C-alpha cells in the first residue's frame, strides 16, 4: 500500500477502517444514552441516573481509546507503554507519522479529550455514590459537540486510509 507521497506503508488499513466505523456507531449509542440519562435525571432527580451518565461518559472515552489503540497498532505500528501510556496514546493521535499518516486529531480535540481521559480516571477510582451532578455536568453538557468534532476528524482519517489503500 502507498501513502499520499507514494511511499509504501506496509499496512492494510481495512481492519482499522472497519473498527473506526463500528466504534463510531457504538459511540453514537453511548451519546444517546447520556442524553437520555440527563433527561431522566432532570425529570426525577434520581441519583441513579447520575451514576448512569458518569459510567456512559467513562464508556465514551474507552470507546475512543479502543479506536486509538487500533490505529497505533495497525497503522503506526507503535503502541505506547508505561505508566502514562493512556495520555501518550492520546497525544500520538495528534502527531503526523511521516510517510505513514497525517495527524488524526486537532490540538483542540486532544485538549478536550484529555479532560475526559482524566474524568475516566476519577470514575474508576471513586465509588458511584460519590458521583454528583456537579462532577458530571460539564462533561455531559459538551459531549455531543465534542463527538461531532471527533467524528469529523476520524471520518477524514478514514477517507485518507481509503484513498491510500487503492
Amino acid at each position: 500500500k502507498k501513502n499520499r507521497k507514494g511511499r509504501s506503508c506496509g499496512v492494510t488499513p481495512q481492519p482499522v477502517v472497519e473498527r473506526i466505523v463500528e466504534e463510531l456507531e457504538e459511540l453514537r449509542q453511548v451519546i444517546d444514552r447520556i442524553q437520555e440519562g440527563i433527561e431522566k435525571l432532570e425529570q426525577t432527580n434520581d441519583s441513579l441516573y447520575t451514576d448512569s451518565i458518569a459510567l456512559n461518559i467513562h464508556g465514551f472515552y474507552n470507546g475512543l481509546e479502543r479506536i486509538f489503540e487500533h490505529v497505533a497498532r495497525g497503522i503506526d505500528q507503535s503502541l505506547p507503554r508505561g505508566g502514562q501510556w493512556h495520555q501518550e496514546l492520546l497525544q500520538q493521535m495528534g502527531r503526523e507519522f511521516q510517510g505513514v499518516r497525517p495527524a488524526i486529531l486537532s490540538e483542540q480535540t486532544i485538549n478536550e479529550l484529555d479532560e475526559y481521559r482524566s474524568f475516566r480516571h476519577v470514575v474508576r477510582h471513586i465509588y458511584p455514590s460519590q458521583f454528583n451532578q456537579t462532577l458530571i455536568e460539564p462533561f455531559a453538557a459538551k459531549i455531543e459537540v465534542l463527538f461531532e468534532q471527533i467524528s469529523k476528524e476520524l471520518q477524514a482519517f478514514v477517507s485518507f486510509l481509503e484513498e491510500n489503500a487503492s
Side-chain angles (χ1 to χ4, degrees):
K1 305 292 177 218
K2 297 193 183 248
N3 66 17
R4 217 175 260 173
K5 295 179 182 173
R7 296 185 194 143
S8 177
C9 296
V11 175
T12 304
Q14 195 56 37
V16 175
V17 168
E18 290 171 3
R19 189 60 184 252
I20 291 171
V21 171
E22 289 169 10
E23 289 289 348
L24 285 174
E25 289 171 8
E26 291 292 330
L27 288 170
R28 173 78 271 169
Q29 292 175 25
V30 170
I31 298 296
D32 292 344
R33 289 182 63 79
I34 291 167
Q35 299 304 336
E36 184 179 343
I38 291 167
E39 290 171 16
K40 298 279 188 180
L41 179 61
E42 289 171 353
Q43 292 168 3
T44 67
N45 208 23
D46 186 335
S47 66
L48 291 176
Y49 291 112
T50 306
D51 301 355
S52 170
I53 296 164
L55 292 173
N56 277 289
I57 293 170
H58 174 279
F60 169 76
Y61 190 82
N62 278 351
L64 289 171
E65 193 168 80
R66 279 190 298 273
I67 292 172
F68 304 156
E69 286 180 75
H70 279 281
V71 170
R73 281 192 194 105
I75 305 297
D76 301 351
Q77 306 286 302
S78 172
L79 186 65
R81 296 177 186 209
Q84 300 295 317
W85 79 268
H86 295 279
Q87 189 170 20
E88 291 171 15
L89 179 63
L90 179 57
Q91 294 299 319
Q92 183 173 322
M93 296 302 109
R95 287 194 303 272
E96 175 184 358
F97 271 57
Q98 195 66 34
V100 177
R101 67 161 176 84
I104 299 167
L105 301 176
S106 66
E107 187 176 334
Q108 177 186 346
T109 299
I110 288 172
N111 290 337
E112 289 184 44
L113 282 178
D114 197 44
E115 294 175 21
Y116 285 81
R117 183 192 57 77
S118 296
F119 178 81
R120 181 191 58 182
H121 181 79
V122 169
V123 169
R124 287 184 171 183
H125 292 93
I126 66 173
Y127 289 104
S129 61
Q130 294 174 308
F131 297 153
N132 63 58
Q133 221 170 330
T134 306
L135 175 68
I136 67 164
E137 205 167 65
F139 295 98
K142 63 183 181 179
I143 201 163
E144 178 79 36
V145 171
L146 178 59
F147 177 68
E148 294 306 321
Q149 180 61 35
I150 292 164
S151 293
K152 286 178 190 170
E153 292 177 15
L154 287 171
Q155 289 296 340
F157 179 60
V158 164
S159 294
F160 167 83
L161 291 175
E162 291 174 337
E163 287 170 17
N164 289 291
S166 29

